[in-house]
Amino acid sequence: MNPPLRVLLCAPRGFCAGVVRAIDVVETALKLYGAPVYVRHEIVHNRHVVDALKAKGVVFIREVSEAPPGGAPVIFSAHGVAKSVPEEAAARNLFTIDATCPLVTKVHREAQAHFKRGRKIVLVGHPGHPEVVGTMGQLPAGAVTLVAEVADVAALPFGAHDALAYVTQTTLSVDDTREIIAALRARYPQMTAPPVEDICYATTNRQEAVKRAAKEVEAFVVVGAANSSNSQRLREVAEREGCRVALLAASAKDIDWRLLEGVKSLGVSAGASAPEVLVEEILDALATRFTLRVETVTTATEDMMFPLPKALREGTLLPAGGEKPPGGADEGRR
Ligand code: SF4
């Protein structure tokens, strides 16, 4: 007889509206234009999603320079891109579709508006993350200064009379960011804040649910990829709330089961780029080792939905020159 395990399943968890939209953009492009469809970087940070799209004819590339001329669509990922990327694509006459999450675009617009008003911009975010690269790349080099942690605030070169504003990455830890912002505001009271929080609803809601569940369990499994910022933050939240084991697992295969020996209560959540099928797979794997009693911890209900880009929705988005590329749906290859 397997030992009992109480599982607290967080809600909301998994896919957010931005990820659903980005995947829809790629699948709609495949239907409208046929394979291959090129996607710059992982469309979302999840191997399962990426592999499923590869099997349908999506080719993932690192830079637009890898996309051949000829009209096949090149899609930009949900994380957004620096301005130089669509500029390079336009110079090469590539047909591009932007799957940037509208909540990332909102941060881009904020940064641009601050810049127009002559403010120096501080971006709170993780160095090297694609979203950070994209946000910094909305403005000329030097216009945006990155701050990753509280200690960075003391090193900022600005003075008490500089016009300043901050924006943040959308997928940060709500608690860490609060501390960084408090340090920024203490040093620069004149600093302009975003009109609405930049950390997105999905990040905030998933962290809140993990926080609630983690108080009641010994261990936590977050389903998500190691390069997924919001999944990493969920694991950290569980650890901070006192879970003695807090794991990030891309799939059931990644779980070191020895760490869960003797555990009687376990929280489960999933990052915004992790499909529900992976949560189910992990619950199935748990069920082969434990007798499960699953309860749901609901801290918010989500109904956010982002429509596809209008032209894609209406099927009127055409490659440069106005012709559908060879291999498109109309030509019977799909
Ligand atoms: S995590 Fe937030 S910002 Fe990122 S894609 Fe999802 S909704 Fe958009």
Side-chain angles (χ1 to χ4, degrees):
M1 170 101 172
N2 285 333
L5 181 68
R6 181 179 175 229
V7 174
L8 295 192
L9 193 54
C10 292
R13 63 177 177 277
F15 276 6
C16 60
V19 162
V20 169
R21 176 179 182 268
I23 296 169
D24 271 5
V25 165
V26 178
E27 292 191 330
T28 305
L30 277 168
K31 273 196 210 115
L32 286 174
Y33 308 110
V37 161
Y38 292 86
V39 176
R40 183 182 177 275
H41 292 185
E42 292 185 330
I43 184 75
V44 298
H45 279 150
N46 189 276
R47 176 72 16 217
H48 182 91
V49 171
V50 165
D51 287 346
L53 291 174
K54 270 187 191 165
K56 293 179 184 176
V58 174
V59 179
F60 288 89
I61 54 176
R62 290 183 61 78
E63 297 305 337
V64 287
S65 57
E66 294 164 44
V74 179
I75 298 174
F76 304 143
S77 85
H79 297 109
V81 292
K83 276 201 161 159
S84 57
V85 175
E87 281 166 8
E88 184 191 343
R92 294 194 52 222
N93 212 21
L94 296 174
F95 166 38
T96 60
I97 304 172
D98 189 1
T100 303
C101 175
L103 299 182
V104 174
T105 304
K106 163 188 160 290
V107 178
H108 291 179
R109 296 218 172 105
E110 271 169 34
Q112 286 158 352
H114 290 312
F115 184 70
K116 270 197 198 136
R117 290 184 172 88
R119 295 173 184 144
K120 298 184 166 93
I121 298 145
V122 172
L123 168 64
V124 183
H126 296 292
H129 188 279
E131 183 186 323
V132 165
V133 174
T135 301
M136 294 187 82
Q138 297 307 305
L139 295 171
V144 181
T145 305
L146 186 62
V147 158
E149 50 190 59
V150 171
D152 296 341
V153 174
L156 288 171
F158 309 121
H161 300 291
D162 282 327
L164 300 172
Y166 73 85
V167 295
T168 82
Q169 192 179 331
T170 58
T171 52
L172 298 177
S173 151
V174 172
D175 292 337
D176 287 351
T177 307
R178 195 177 294 127
E179 286 175 25
I180 296 171
I181 290 168
L184 283 170
R185 298 191 76 81
R187 185 159 179 217
Y188 302 111
Q190 80 276 25
M191 187 169 250
T192 303
V196 180
E197 187 60 65
D198 289 334
I199 297 180
C200 76
Y201 80 97
T203 300
T204 308
N205 288 348
R206 279 150 192 71
Q207 287 180 21
E208 194 52 42
V210 169
K211 211 182 238 188
R212 169 92 66 85
K215 292 186 203 308
E216 293 189 45
V217 295
E218 298 161 69
F220 222 100
V221 173
V222 173
V223 186
N227 58 351
S228 158
S229 171
N230 78 82
S231 305
Q232 285 284 10
R233 303 297 79 80
L234 294 180
R235 195 204 68 75
E236 289 166 8
V237 168
E239 196 169 56
R240 267 193 216 164
E241 290 301 316
C243 289
R244 65 181 166 84
V245 178
L247 306 173
L248 183 64
S251 71
K253 289 197 296 290
D254 297 323
I255 296 177
D256 181 350
W257 294 100
R258 288 168 305 182
L259 295 173
L260 298 184
E261 274 170 21
V263 165
K264 297 200 166 29
S265 55
L266 176 77
V268 175
S269 185
S273 45
E276 184 64 9
V277 64
L278 296 178
V279 176
E280 284 162 13
E281 183 197 286
I282 283 178
L283 289 175
D284 288 346
L286 285 166
T288 64
R289 292 164 175 87
F290 300 92
T291 302
L292 302 187
R293 179 159 62 90
V294 180
E295 299 163 35
T296 303
V297 174
T298 306
T299 51
T301 345
E302 292 179 349
D303 54 7
M304 188 73 82
M305 210 200 88
F306 299 131
L308 289 178
K310 188 161 178 274
L312 193 59
R313 215 163 59 226
E314 294 171 354
T316 53
L317 192 60
L318 297 176
E323 296 292 320
K324 285 199 176 189
D330 294 356
E331 301 182 19
R333 282 192 21 196
R334 290 179 58 78

